[in-house]
Amino acid sequence: MKAEILTVGSELLSPGRIDRNAELLIEKLGSIGLPVVFRATVGDDRELLVETAKQAFGRSDLVIVTGGLGPTSDDVTRESFAEAMGLELVLDESVLAAIRRRFSKRGYTMPDVNRRQAMVPLGAEVLTNPVGTAPGLWIKGPRHTEVILLPGPPAEMVSIFEKHVQPRLSSPGEVFRTQRLLVAGLPESAVEEKIGALYRDVDNPHTGLLASGGQVEIRLTARGGDTIQAEAKLERLVSPIRRALGQHLFSESGETLEQVVGRLLTAAGKTLSIAESCTGGLITHRLTEVAGSSRYLERGFVTYSNESKVALLGVPGELIESEGAVSESVVRAMVRGARERAGTDLALAVTGIAGPSGGRAEKPVGLVFIATGDARGEDVSRFQFPGGRARVKQWTAQTALNLLRLRLLLE
Amino acid sequence: MKAEILTVGSELLSPGRIDRNAELLIEKLGSIGLPVVFRATVGDDRELLVETAKQAFGRSDLVIVTGGLGPTSDDVTRESFAEAMGLELVLDESVLAAIRRRFSKRGYTMPDVNRRQAMVPLGAEVLTNPVGTAPGLWIKGPRHTEVILLPGPPAEMVSIFEKHVQPRLSSPGEVFRTQRLLVAGLPESAVEEKIGALYRDVDNPHTGLLASGGQVEIRLTARGGDTIQAEAKLERLVSPIRRALGQHLFSESGETLEQVVGRLLTAAGKTLSIAESCTGGLITHRLTEVAGSSRYLERGFVTYSNESKVALLGVPGELIESEGAVSESVVRAMVRGARERAGTDLALAVTGIAGPSGGRAEKPVGLVFIATGDARGEDVSRFQFPGGRARVKQWTAQTALNLLRLRLLLE
C-alpha cells in the first residue's frame, strides 16, 4: 500500500514557512509501515486543486489531504475533491449540530459562515474532530483510492489522524521494516562502488543513498507478510553491505557519530579532551549534544590565537614560528598538551585553514591536520577539504570524530 | 509567470527530513517576484517521476527541479525528464572534462560512475556548477514550459541558481524589493504586539513573521514600477517598524547575530574570550562561522567539568561547592577568569542545566546564567528556557550573543 500527502494553502508556498503537516504525516505513516511516495502542496486555487486531486487517483492507494477545510471562501478543499470525484455536497445535520454545540459551549452563537464546514460529499464518512470545528472526511475515491481530508491546524490534524485513521490503516496484511546505515570516511561514489552491485537490482528491500556533511546514509525498507519475514528480507541485504563497508559503517540504528563516540567512551570508561583551532568549538559542541556527555567529556580548548595554543596547551612558541600553526608538529603538540593538561585518557586536536583568507600556495584553504592521542602516543592525519569556511569546519569535525571512533575501536 | 518546484529524492519522503531546497527556492523566487503555485516531492522512482514531469508541462511556465543528478543509479532525474520530453541523452565532452578536472585538482582520478553526470538531454543548455560536479540544465520543455534541473546539495543548487537562473528570470516590468528584519530578545507574540497595527492592513509591502531558535524574522516584500518606487514603498513601512522595535532589531541586511557582534568588535578594536559550560562550544562555534573572527576572538574555554572551571578560569572550588556550578556567583567568576586569563577586553560566560538529567526543583532543566564582562565589571542575567537539551543550548547561545551585542552598543 502506497500513500501520498497533499497539503493545501497558499501560505505553505510563501517564504519562511515550513509545512509541519507533511512532516508529521510522513512520520506517522512511516511508523505504521506506510511509505509515502509523493507529496505535493497546492495553494488555495480550486481549479488546480481539482486537477491535482484527479491525478492522485490511481497513483496511490491512499491520499491524505490537509488544510482548506476552514469556514472561509478561500478554503476550497471540500468543494474541489467533491468535484474531482463527481460527488454532490450535502449538509450533514449531525456535523452542523456538533459545530453549533462547540460554539454554544463557549457562549457564542455559530456564525453563519461555519455552515460550510457541515457540507459533506455524499457517501463520505465523517471523522469527528475532538479539538476543532471542521471534521475529517474519509471518502472512497475513484480507482480504489482511499481519500482522507483532514483540517490544517496541526493539533486537529493529529488528533483526528490518531483517533480515526491510524487504527484502521495499521493492517496485518503487510509489514514494513526500515533500517538506516550510516557511513563515514568515504565519499558517496566510493560507497556506491562498494555496494552498488549488491542492491541495484534488488526490489525488496528498497535501497536509497544520501550524502551530506561528510557522511553517507543508506536507507533500506523491506516488506513482508509479518515482522519476521520483513526483518529477514532486510538482513539478507544488510549483511553483505556490512561486510563490504567494514569499519566505514558506523551506525545501524540511526546513532550520530557523536553518539557512537560517546557510547564507545562510556563503555571503555575513558575520558576525553578536545583542542580545536579551525573548527572553533564545533567538535565540542557536537559531542555535548549527546545527553550524558559530561561523563566523558572533561573540557574543550578553542585555541584560536597562537598565544592561546602556547598558554593553554603548552605548544612551544618556536614550533609555531618555524612550522606554522597549521602543521603536523603543532597539531601533535596540541593533542599532547590537551591530554596532559586536562588529565584525560584521550585527546583530539585539529588545526587548519578554514578560509576564506589565510591560504597560501603551499598551505591552501581547506588544509587540515587532525590528531588523536592517548598514553601510547599520537596519530596525525593530513587532509585537503573542499568548499567554503562552514563546509571546511563541518568536514573537519566529521572526519575528526570518525578518526576518534576508529581509534576507540582499536582500544 | 507562475513557477513550480519539484524536489526529487526518497530521503525527502522519509521521517525527520526537511526539504531545504524547496524552502530556499520559494524564498529566492519570491525575492524576484515569482509566485510558486505548486510544489511536489517524488522519490527516486523513474516511472513516477516521468509521469510527474509530464503533468508539470503546461501547468506552470517554469518548473524548477532539484535532486537526483548525482552519479549513482538511484539518481534518475536526468533520464526521467529526457524521457518525459522525448529527448535523447548525449555525452557532453566539456562537462565530462570539467568533472575530470575537479577530481584531478584534488589528486583523484574520476570514478567511472561520474560519467553519468556528463549526460545531457539533447538541446539542453548546461549551467556550470562552481562548487560541485553535477551541472544544472536548462531545457525548453513542451507547452512553453521552461524546465531547469539543479543538483540537490543546497550549496550547489543555490550557486547555480544565483549565477545562471536568477539574472535571467528577473523581469523589467515590475520590480520587487525584499527586506529581512531580524529581532532578538523578544518572543513572536511581543513582536506582533509592537508592530501588528503597522503592517496588518498594508498590502504593499507584503509582511510575514517567522520565529525560530530565539529570533523573529520580519520579511517585507514591496513591488513598484522601478527600484526607487519599490524601495520607497519598503522604507515607508520599515521606518515605523524600526522605531517600534528599537534595540531589539539587530539586523536589516540579513546579518546573523554573530556577524553583528563581530562587526561591533572589529569597529571598537576589542578582543573577546568565551567560557562555556552548558552550551559546550556552540557560542564559540557560531562566532567562528564568521570570516575574519580570528581578529577579535582570542580563545574559548569549554569548561564542562568542575575541575576545568577551577583550573582554566580560576573559579574557586569552594564557590562551586557552596553555590553549585549553575549559579550567579560561579558565572561571574567564570567571566572574570576568562577575561583575565585570556587577556581580552571583553568576555562572555554561560553556565546552565541543558538536561535531560541534572535538574532539581530549585534548579530545573533550562536554568541558565549568562554573564558579560569588561574592565568596568560584570553583568549577570538569569534565564529559564523551555525545551530539550538542543533547544536549551540554542536559546542560551542566541541570548548570550544578544547580551554581548547590547553591551557592545553601550561601549
Side-chain angles (χ1 to χ4, degrees):
Chain A
M1 190 167 178
K2 287 174 182 174
E4 69 177 77
I5 296 169
L6 177 62
T7 56
V8 181
S10 296
E11 76 282 1
L12 300 173
L13 296 169
S14 299
R17 293 308 163 121
I18 289 170
D19 191 352
R20 287 262 302 143
N21 280 346
E23 285 175 34
L24 284 166
L25 283 171
I26 287 173
E27 192 178 318
K28 296 221 153 275
L29 290 166
S31 73
I32 51 174
L34 275 178
V36 175
V37 296
F38 187 83
R39 70 169 271 205
T41 303
V42 185
D44 306 311
D45 174 331
R46 181 158 169 177
E47 199 184 326
L48 187 51
L49 193 50
V50 171
E51 185 192 328
T52 308
K54 286 182 178 164
Q55 289 166 351
F57 306 142
R59 176 172 54 200
S60 307
D61 310 292
L62 174 70
V63 182
I64 302 191
V65 186
T66 70
L69 295 179
T72 66
S73 58
D74 58 358
D75 291 303
V76 292
T77 299
R78 213 179 276 106
E79 290 77 4
S80 304
F81 271 82
E83 182 184 334
M85 295 189 267
L87 295 175
E88 198 188 336
L89 275 177
V90 293
L91 184 78
D92 186 308
E93 290 294 345
S94 70
V95 172
L96 186 64
I99 298 175
R100 277 197 214 283
R101 264 199 310 280
R102 210 179 152 76
F103 274 95
S104 70
K105 237 170 50 186
R106 300 202 219 150
Y108 296 107
T109 307
M110 186 193 86
D112 222 40
V113 68
N114 285 80
R115 279 178 72 91
R116 283 180 63 125
Q117 297 189 297
M119 299 300 288
V120 168
L122 198 63
E125 181 183 348
V126 170
L127 312 173
T128 55
N129 183 341
V131 293
T133 50
L137 298 167
W138 190 318
I139 316 165
K140 302 243 168 246
R143 303 174 65 192
H144 306 290
T145 306
E146 306 281 332
V147 177
I148 300 172
L149 309 185
L150 299 173
E156 300 184 28
M157 190 277 284
V158 167
S159 20
I160 300 179
F161 186 89
E162 288 180 347
K163 187 174 168 196
H164 299 287
V165 182
Q166 193 158 324
R168 284 158 65 178
L169 290 181
S170 315
S171 89
E174 206 168 29
V175 169
F176 289 80
R177 279 290 171 274
T178 292
Q179 191 160 4
R180 295 165 60 204
L181 306 177
L182 298 177
V183 183
L186 285 179
E188 186 181 13
S189 54
V191 174
E192 171 72 17
E193 263 182 32
K194 280 182 189 287
I195 68 164
L198 297 172
Y199 77 81
R200 210 169 289 134
D201 299 320
V202 178
D203 194 48
N204 181 19
H206 172 81
T207 305
L209 254 62
L210 173 72
S212 71
Q215 77 179 33
V216 178
E217 177 180 330
I218 307 161
R219 179 181 285 264
L220 305 103
T221 306
R223 59 176 193 283
D226 56 30
T227 309
I228 295 171
Q229 262 188 30
E231 282 177 355
K233 273 278 175 207
L234 203 55
E235 187 55 27
R236 203 179 303 167
L237 183 53
V238 167
S239 122
I241 288 180
R242 203 183 275 135
R243 277 195 301 277
L245 293 173
Q247 288 200 334
H248 292 291
L249 181 65
F250 71 83
S251 168
E252 300 193 12
S253 60
E255 274 186 317
T256 61
L257 204 40
E258 48 270 33
Q259 285 173 325
V260 173
V261 165
R263 185 168 45 69
L264 293 170
L265 283 166
T266 305
K270 306 247 165 159
T271 55
L272 174 69
S273 54
I274 310 284
E276 304 185 56
S277 186
C278 62
T279 42
L282 174 57
I283 298 174
T284 316
H285 160 53
R286 283 185 56 179
L287 284 164
T288 59
E289 287 287 278
V290 181
S293 46
S294 57
R295 279 201 302 272
Y296 45 83
L297 183 73
E298 213 278 330
R299 73 185 70 171
F301 306 88
V302 185
T303 51
Y304 225 50
S305 66
N306 289 346
E307 295 70 37
S308 63
K309 293 183 183 72
V310 175
L312 294 179
L313 304 170
V315 178
E318 317 79 67
L319 198 64
I320 298 177
E321 193 77 23
S322 63
E323 305 283 319
V326 179
S327 61
E328 186 185 327
S329 32
V330 165
V331 84
R332 197 178 287 276
M334 285 172 70
V335 81
R336 201 176 296 158
R339 205 178 70 78
E340 287 172 6
R341 304 237 171 159
T344 52
D345 301 310
L346 288 131
L348 174 68
V350 302
T351 183
I353 303 163
S357 61
R360 296 192 312 280
E362 69 280 26
K363 290 191 178 179
V365 169
L367 174 68
V368 171
F369 291 90
I370 302 177
T372 56
D374 62 17
R376 288 171 302 182
E378 297 84 35
D379 286 323
V380 177
S381 308
R382 178 195 170 113
F383 298 89
Q384 180 62 51
F385 294 120
R389 185 178 184 85
R391 227 168 137 206
V392 169
K393 284 181 68 177
Q394 196 184 23
W395 275 82
T396 304
Q398 182 74 2
T399 308
L401 289 171
N402 191 43
L403 289 171
L404 186 59
R405 177 182 72 91
L406 294 172
R407 182 162 196 130
L408 283 163
L409 288 177
L410 292 176
E411 294 278 308
Chain B
M1 191 165 178
K2 286 175 182 174
E4 69 176 78
I5 296 169
L6 177 61
T7 57
V8 182
S10 297
E11 75 281 0
L12 299 173
L13 296 169
S14 299
R17 292 310 164 115
I18 289 170
D19 190 351
R20 286 262 300 142
N21 280 346
E23 286 174 33
L24 284 167
L25 282 172
I26 286 173
E27 186 180 324
K28 298 223 151 275
L29 290 166
S31 74
I32 50 173
L34 274 177
V36 174
V37 296
F38 186 82
R39 70 170 270 206
T41 303
V42 185
D44 306 309
D45 174 330
R46 181 158 169 176
E47 199 182 326
L48 186 51
L49 193 49
V50 171
E51 186 191 327
T52 308
K54 285 181 179 165
Q55 289 167 351
F57 305 142
R59 177 172 52 201
S60 307
D61 311 292
L62 174 70
V63 182
I64 302 193
V65 187
T66 70
L69 295 179
T72 67
S73 57
D74 57 0
D75 291 302
V76 292
T77 299
R78 215 176 275 109
E79 290 76 3
S80 304
F81 271 82
E83 184 184 334
M85 295 189 266
L87 295 174
E88 198 188 336
L89 275 177
V90 293
L91 184 78
D92 186 311
E93 291 293 346
S94 69
V95 173
L96 186 64
I99 299 175
R100 277 199 215 282
R101 264 200 308 279
R102 211 179 152 76
F103 274 94
S104 69
K105 236 167 57 182
R106 296 197 226 153
Y108 296 108
T109 308
M110 186 193 84
D112 223 38
V113 70
N114 285 78
R115 279 179 73 90
R116 284 180 61 128
Q117 298 189 296
M119 300 301 288
V120 167
L122 199 63
E125 181 183 349
V126 170
L127 313 173
T128 54
N129 182 341
V131 294
T133 50
L137 298 167
W138 190 318
I139 316 163
K140 302 242 166 248
R143 302 173 66 194
H144 305 290
T145 307
E146 306 282 332
V147 177
I148 300 172
L149 309 184
L150 300 174
E156 301 183 27
M157 191 277 285
V158 168
S159 10
I160 300 178
F161 186 88
E162 287 180 347
K163 187 173 168 199
H164 299 287
V165 181
Q166 192 158 325
R168 283 159 64 177
L169 291 180
S170 313
S171 86
E174 207 169 25
V175 169
F176 289 79
R177 278 292 171 273
T178 292
Q179 190 159 6
R180 295 165 60 205
L181 306 177
L182 298 176
V183 182
L186 284 180
E188 188 180 11
S189 56
V191 174
E192 172 73 22
E193 257 181 40
K194 279 181 190 289
I195 68 164
L198 297 172
Y199 77 79
R200 211 170 286 131
D201 298 320
V202 178
D203 195 47
N204 181 20
H206 173 79
T207 305
L209 254 62
L210 176 73
S212 72
Q215 77 179 32
V216 178
E217 178 180 330
I218 306 161
R219 179 185 292 264
L220 305 103
T221 305
R223 59 174 194 284
D226 57 30
T227 310
I228 295 172
Q229 261 187 30
E231 283 176 356
K233 274 276 174 207
L234 204 54
E235 186 56 27
R236 204 180 303 170
L237 184 54
V238 167
S239 124
I241 288 180
R242 202 182 277 134
R243 276 196 301 277
L245 293 171
Q247 287 200 334
H248 293 291
L249 181 66
F250 71 83
S251 169
E252 299 194 13
S253 60
E255 272 187 319
T256 61
L257 205 40
E258 48 270 34
Q259 285 172 325
V260 173
V261 165
R263 186 167 45 69
L264 292 171
L265 283 165
T266 305
K270 307 246 164 162
T271 56
L272 174 69
S273 55
I274 311 283
E276 303 186 57
S277 188
C278 62
T279 43
L282 174 57
I283 298 173
T284 317
H285 160 52
R286 283 185 56 179
L287 284 165
T288 59
E289 289 287 277
V290 181
S293 47
S294 57
R295 276 201 302 271
Y296 44 84
L297 183 74
E298 212 281 329
R299 73 186 70 172
F301 306 88
V302 185
T303 51
Y304 226 50
S305 68
N306 289 344
E307 295 69 38
S308 64
K309 291 183 184 73
V310 175
L312 294 179
L313 303 172
V315 178
E318 317 81 63
L319 197 64
I320 298 178
E321 193 78 22
S322 62
E323 306 284 319
V326 179
S327 61
E328 187 186 326
S329 32
V330 166
V331 84
R332 196 179 287 276
M334 284 172 71
V335 81
R336 200 177 297 159
R339 203 178 72 79
E340 287 172 6
R341 304 236 172 160
T344 51
D345 301 308
L346 287 131
L348 173 68
V350 302
T351 182
I353 302 163
S357 62
R360 296 192 313 280
E362 68 280 25
K363 290 190 180 179
V365 168
L367 174 67
V368 172
F369 291 90
I370 302 177
T372 56
D374 61 17
R376 289 170 301 181
E378 297 85 33
D379 285 322
V380 178
S381 309
R382 178 196 170 111
F383 298 90
Q384 181 63 52
F385 294 120
R389 185 178 184 84
R391 221 168 140 210
V392 169
K393 285 181 67 176
Q394 197 186 22
W395 275 82
T396 304
Q398 182 74 4
T399 308
L401 289 171
N402 191 43
L403 290 171
L404 187 59
R405 175 183 72 92
L406 293 173
R407 185 167 193 124
L408 283 163
L409 288 178
L410 292 176
E411 293 278 308

